Each structure stands twice: as structure tokens, then as C-alpha cells.
């Protein structure tokens, strides 16, 4: 991969005139001399395999989701649901998304005009940004940010502006957030609950986002894929706040909620005119996808409340297992309110370069993680240079083993 140390990532990428180069630069994949690297996820996964390490870097579950959903997908394949789905998704899934929004949040999107099915949340985000952003515009995100955000913003030719999330609670300073807005702010790309920091944003932060979006006439694109993975903190869709609904596209997916990340079934909802614009772009990206999986996801969205409560409770137990091992390792641990990521500070061990530590961990203790600076631009990379992110969406036995290995870290350093 490109040099992802804070010093390396602080230099602006060069030779970024072509779209692919802009995308690579936006995702921190270009070195200062313009060399192209692999993603940090690929690098850490390769290291984990080579060293026989437990991979707590890339965030994917190692257990399947509900059996009834798998059976529904098999039945759909057997019944011949193997050709193109409608461009905006099968009616049953769109209706299930609308019913889900009403059931959990009191929202009533029209499944015919205000909901579309996408190839995962990533395509929904790409379609939304490409629909509304052009060169000269600004897109505002919190920082650290999920790497695909920077890539898509750069491909669109827009400027990526960030507002920092600072330890220990990883909430934004509201004055700094306001300073990040300008008359060129076209889209606020919100991620709540937040990857990689695990923050579940409270109402006052969301209200400030809406207030500023109204002031600057910006569209809010809200990535809420971890909406059901919170631990005692209620998820608040930003579109439920006064003044938000008419300017907000809400995005989610089946991958995180149901542990079927490989199915790549996502959706977006919002006002008909915004959804129509995003659909116009989306139909020239993938057009449609996942025909047999759409029926299965519709069934999943209708699962009883007990299912949703159980997935959060089970994940919380896994979070706590890993947190205990990380504390024993000597890290400063930031306990997340949601998602399936936990962040730690290596500075408590006298280590300030998390990128270098991440490259050593698979060999030192047989566990792989992701350094947080790779989710940042220059100043953010310096601010987070000692932080590491671990994923706890793994089998309980594996997490106990990872915790045991991590507990030996201070002896190995």
C-alpha cells in the first residue's frame, strides 16, 4: 500500500487528473510520488494470513445470519429468481423497507417513489453523491471517515471537508462543525452510528447538522447501516428531526444487520425528487443486483423485535470480551456505543505510531487490526496517529482467543 504513516499521508497526492487517480487519492491510496498502493484492509488481511493471525481488521462477521433468510434465498434460486431484478428493486423488498422505517422510527416512505434497492450501501452512497455533487462543490464528513467516502467525493471532483471527532467520546465540537460549513457545502455525508469510531450521535449533534444544512441549503446523505447495532444508546435517524426530511437521503443495508455482507443488498429512502435523482445515477452503475437475495432480505426485515434486540445484546457481549483483552494488553480503550468496532490508544504503551504497530501485531501476538490514521486526511492522521481499530463481529471463542493473545503484548514488545 502507499505510505500511510502520518508524515506520508500528510503530503498531497500528485498526478490526480484522471478519475481513478482522484479516487485513489481520496481514499489515501496514493503515496506522495503518485505511486498506487493497496487498501489497508488488503494489507492487514494478507499479513494475517501469512502469520496465521486472527483477523480483527476488516469488519465482516464470521457467522451467518438467520437460517430462514438463507432458506428463502435458496428457494428463490430454485424457483428461478435468477435474472435481472427491477431497477428500483422488487416491490416486496421496497415495501418491507418502508414497513421497517415505520415500525422502528414512525416514518412512512412511499415504497413506489421514495425507496430504491441498491447494490449494498456503498452503491447507494456513490449514487447519491454522484447525483448531486460536481466540481467546485464541497462535501462535509466527520473525520475519521470510512475510506469509500473520500474516494467517491474525489471521483465526483468535489472538495472533501471534514469536522474532527476527538477522543474520548468522539463527538464533534459544534463550533468547529459550524466552521466546516460554507456556501459551497452541497452535501453533508453523515455516518451514524459511526465507523470507525463507534459513536452513536445524540440528538443535539444531529440537530446542529440539520440546522446548518438548512442554513446552507445542503443535502444530508445519512449512512445508517449500523442502525440496529447499538448498545443501550438509541439510534436516531436524522430524517426524523424537524427540518430534515425534505433534504435527507437515508441509507442502510442487510449486510450489517443480518450478517450477510456478501449479498450486497442495500437501500435508500427519502423525498421522491431526491430518490429519483439518485436512481437515475444508480441505474447506470449496477442497474440491479441480488435477485434471489431481495426476497430473503424482505423476510429478514419482518423478523420480530426479539431478533433485533438479540443481535445487539450478543454483539455487546462480544465487545466486552475484546475490551477486556485490550485493557489487559495495556491499551487505552474507548468503549463504543454502536457498530462492531472498538478503538484503542497505543500511547498508553509508549507507542505513538499505530500504523507501524498494526504491521507488527500479526507477528507479535497473532492478531490483526487497522490503524485509525488511514481513515483521515493529514491533520486528522496526526491527531489519531496512536489509535487502532479492532472488529469484534466474530465468534465468541475466537474473541476469547484474541483477548488471550493480546494480553501477552506487553511481554512481546
Amino acid at each position: 500500500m502507499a505510505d500511510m504513516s502520518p508524515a506520508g499521508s500528510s503530503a498531497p497526492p500528485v498526478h490526480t487528473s484522471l478519475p481513478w487517480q482522484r479516487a485513489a487519492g481520496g481514499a489515501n491510496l496514493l503515496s506522495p510520488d503518485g505511486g498506487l498502493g493497496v487498501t489497508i484492509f488488503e494489507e492487514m488481511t494478507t499479513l494475517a494470513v501469512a502469520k496465521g493471525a486472527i483477523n480483527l481488521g476488516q469488519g465482516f462477521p464470521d457467522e451467518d445470519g438467520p437460517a430462514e433468510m438463507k432458506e428463502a434465498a435458496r428457494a428463490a434460486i430454485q424457483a428461478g429468481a435468477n435474472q435481472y431484478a427491477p431497477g428500483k428493486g422488487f416491490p416486496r423488498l421496497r415495501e418491507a423497507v418502508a414497513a421497517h422505517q415505520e415500525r422502528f422510527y414512525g416514518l412512512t416512505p412511499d415504497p413506489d417513489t421514495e425507496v430504491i434497492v441498491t447494490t449494498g450501501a456503498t452503491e447507494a452512497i456513490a449514487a447519491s453523491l454522484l447525483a448531486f455533487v460536481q466540481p467546485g462543490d464541497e462535501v462535509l464528513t466527520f473525520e475519521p471517515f470510512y475510506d469509500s467516502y473520500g474516494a467517491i467525493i474525489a471521483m465526483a471532483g468535489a472538495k472533501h471537508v471534514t469536522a474532527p471527532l476527538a477522543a474520548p467520546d468522539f463527538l464533534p465540537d459544534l463550533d468547529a462543525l459550524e466552521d466546516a460549513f460554507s456556501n459551497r457545502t452541497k452535501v453533508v455525508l453523515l455516518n451514524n452510528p459511526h465507523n470507525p469510531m463507534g459513536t452513536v450521535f445524540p440528538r443535539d449533534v444531529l440537530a446542529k447538522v440539520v440546522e446548518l444544512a438548512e442554513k446552507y441549503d445542503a443535502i444530508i446523505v445519512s449512512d445508517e447501516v449500523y442502525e440496529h447495532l447499538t448498545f443501550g444508546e438509541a439510534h436516531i435517524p436524522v430524517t426524523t428531526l424537524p427540518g430534515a426530511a425534505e433534504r435527507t437521503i437515508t441509507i442502510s443495508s442487510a449486510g450489517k444487520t443480518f450478517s450477510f455482507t456478501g449479498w450486497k443488498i442495500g437501500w435508500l429512502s427519502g423525498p421522491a425528487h431526491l430518490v429519483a435523482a439518485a436512481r437515475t445515477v444508480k441505474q447506470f452503475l449496477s442497474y440491479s443486483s441480488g435477485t434471489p437475495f431481495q426476497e430473503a432480505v424482505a423476510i429478514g426485515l419482518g423478523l420480530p423485535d426479539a431478533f433485533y434486540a438479540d443481535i445487539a445484546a450478543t454483539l455487546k457481549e462480544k465487545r466486552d470480551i475484546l475490551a477486556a483483552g485490550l485493557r489487559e494488553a495495556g491499551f487505552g480503550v474507548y468503549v463504543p456505543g454502536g457498530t462492531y468496532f472498538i478503538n484503542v490508544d497505543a500511547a498508553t504503551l509508549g507507542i505513538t505510531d499505530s500504523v507501524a504497530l498494526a504491521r507488527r501485531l500479526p507477528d507479535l501476538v497473532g492478531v490483526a487490526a487497522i490503524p485509525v490514521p488511514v481513515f483521515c486526511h493529514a491533520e486528522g492522521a496526526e491527531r489519531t496517529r496512536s489509535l487502532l481499530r479492532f472488529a469484534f463481529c466474530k465468534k465468541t471463542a475466537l474473541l476469547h482467543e484474541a483477548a488471550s493473545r493480546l494480553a501477552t503484548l506487553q511481554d512481546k514488545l
Side-chain angles (χ1 to χ4, degrees):
M1 60 176 291
D3 178 7
M4 300 307 295
S5 65
S9 61
S10 65
V14 297
H15 309 306
T16 55
S17 58
L18 295 175
W20 74 265
Q21 292 169 318
R22 293 200 303 270
N28 292 333
L29 293 182
L30 287 185
S31 62
D33 64 359
L36 178 64
V38 299
T39 68
I40 189 67
F41 305 104
E42 183 176 345
E43 182 186 3
M44 291 300 110
T45 296
T46 300
L47 273 174
V49 171
K51 301 296 183 179
I54 296 172
N55 188 357
L56 302 186
Q58 194 163 8
F60 59 86
D62 59 359
E63 297 178 279
D64 286 343
E68 54 264 61
M69 292 179 67
K70 292 196 289 184
E71 182 54 40
R74 281 192 290 263
I77 292 171
Q78 189 63 35
N82 301 304
Q83 309 307 325
Y84 292 128
K88 62 182 181 180
F90 280 110
R92 182 171 180 191
L93 179 51
R94 288 186 280 110
E95 290 163 4
V97 170
H100 168 277
Q101 295 301 90
E102 183 171 17
R103 170 185 171 188
F104 287 101
Y105 310 122
L107 300 167
T108 56
D110 183 333
D112 289 328
T113 61
E114 297 181 327
V115 178
I116 60 171
V117 178
T118 59
T119 305
T122 303
E123 184 186 49
I125 294 162
S128 298
L129 290 178
L130 293 173
F132 298 109
V133 172
Q134 58 188 333
D137 290 337
E138 294 179 355
V139 178
L140 174 62
T141 75
F142 290 126
E143 186 180 45
F145 53 87
Y146 184 56
D147 59 349
S148 76
Y149 296 175
I152 298 299
I153 293 166
M155 274 196 287
K159 180 181 179 181
H160 187 182
V161 178
T162 62
L165 301 177
D169 54 12
F170 298 109
L171 291 173
D173 176 88
L174 297 186
D175 290 334
L177 175 61
E178 185 163 6
D179 289 343
F181 276 78
S182 78
N183 291 327
R184 293 183 296 278
T185 304
K186 184 66 174 181
V187 169
V188 182
L189 178 49
L190 181 66
N191 182 201
N192 180 39
H194 185 271
N195 175 19
M197 304 321 297
T199 310
V200 180
F201 292 111
R203 186 173 295 273
D204 66 322
V205 170
L206 299 176
K208 188 66 174 181
V209 170
V210 175
E211 172 197 325
L212 293 168
E214 286 186 294
K215 178 179 178 180
Y216 291 99
D217 195 25
I219 294 166
I220 301 171
V221 176
S222 188
D223 174 359
E224 302 182 10
V225 296
Y226 297 98
E227 59 185 316
H228 291 294
L229 307 182
T230 65
F231 317 123
E233 300 185 45
H235 168 65
I236 304 171
V238 69
T239 194
T240 62
L241 272 63
E246 61 267 29
R247 65 178 64 253
T248 300
I249 292 176
T250 301
I251 293 168
S252 194
S253 79
K256 303 303 188 295
T257 297
F258 301 113
S259 295
F260 290 123
T261 58
W263 288 10
K264 295 299 291 180
I265 300 295
W267 51 85
L268 63 80
S269 60
H273 68 287
L274 297 183
V275 170
R279 183 190 171 196
T280 300
V281 173
K282 176 261 183 301
Q283 67 185 343
F284 298 112
L285 296 176
S286 68
Y287 179 67
S288 72
S289 63
T291 294
F293 301 130
Q294 291 194 30
E295 171 71 16
V297 173
I299 290 172
L301 287 170
L303 288 172
D305 290 352
F307 164 78
Y308 290 93
D310 183 64
I311 57 174
T314 300
L315 199 58
K316 181 178 182 293
E317 292 175 1
K318 294 181 175 184
R319 177 199 70 179
D320 293 344
I321 290 168
L322 185 58
L326 291 165
R327 289 192 187 95
E328 194 168 351
F331 289 113
V333 177
Y334 301 108
V335 179
T339 76
Y340 41 54
F341 302 110
I342 188 167
N343 291 274
V344 302
D345 194 344
T348 54
L349 293 168
I351 298 171
T352 58
D353 186 347
S354 63
V355 177
L357 179 59
R359 288 172 171 149
R360 294 179 64 200
L361 275 178
D363 189 47
L364 281 173
V365 294
V367 177
I370 298 292
V372 174
V374 303
F375 299 107
C376 301
H377 293 317
E379 291 184 13
E382 183 61 32
R383 186 178 59 253
T384 62
R385 71 189 313 266
S386 61
L387 302 185
L388 283 167
R389 189 196 78 174
F390 294 81
F392 52 88
C393 50
K394 309 295 180 181
K395 293 177 182 176
T396 299
L398 192 73
L399 291 171
H400 278 297
E401 175 61 24
S404 177
R405 294 183 185 187
L406 286 163
T408 69
L409 177 60
Q410 292 188 69
D411 294 333
K412 301 290 180 63
L413 287 172

